[in-house]
Amino acid sequence: QVQLVESGGGLVQPGGSLRLSCTASETIFTFEMGWFRQPPGKERELVAVITGAGRTNYADSVKGRFSISRDNFKKAVYLQMNSLKPEDTAVYYCKAESPYGRRVYWGQGTQVTVSS
């Protein structure tokens, strides 16, 4: 149903910044949106979430460095990543969840590599 496409990943030096984008094929006004990541050989983990009302939550490991935002008019969600560290290296996935968790959609993922 809802297609999610991530973009903006790439190679960046430690201390650098990247901005990830997630564009949805349908309106997401009422959806809770989130970013997850999966480091090599590890489980997928929550990075940040933003509700339809704009409330945000972050993993402790990224607090103060990452910022999630949404633009419902553009049907997009963003993840601004600053002060990147090598341990931030992972495939980053966009997630959309409909009200009451009735539907969950995932993007294909975008690679973020932090290395000198």
Side-chain angles (χ1 to χ4, degrees):
Q1 293 175 281
V2 177
Q3 303 293 317
L4 303 174
V5 180
E6 302 100 331
S7 63
L11 176 65
V12 64
Q13 293 184 316
S17 299
L18 282 175
R19 185 176 188 250
L20 304 183
S21 298
C22 172
T23 302
S25 62
E26 307 292 338
T27 58
I28 56 171
F29 291 96
T30 62
F31 282 60
E32 179 178 290
M33 306 297 296
W35 287 96
F36 288 69
R37 68 185 182 186
Q38 187 167 16
K42 297 184 178 181
E43 294 290 306
R44 190 174 300 186
E45 63 183 14
L46 174 69
V47 176
V49 63
I50 183 167
T51 69
R55 187 178 73 253
T56 60
N57 193 29
Y58 299 90
D60 289 340
S61 59
V62 306
K63 286 182 178 178
R65 300 188 298 120
F66 290 12
S67 179
I68 187 171
S69 61
R70 65 191 297 159
D71 186 334
N72 291 331
F73 182 77
K74 295 183 178 180
K75 298 185 293 185
V77 178
Y78 309 97
L79 184 67
Q80 179 66 47
M81 305 185 293
N82 300 321
S83 302
L84 283 162
K85 306 174 181 179
E87 48 263 48
D88 294 319
T89 296
V91 177
Y92 284 71
Y93 297 90
C94 178
K95 189 194 80 171
E97 184 173 305
S98 65
Y100 312 108
R102 292 181 179 274
R103 301 286 188 274
V104 178
Y105 307 95
W106 291 93
Q108 83 288 346
T110 185
Q111 177 71 48
V112 172
T113 302
V114 185
S115 176
S116 59

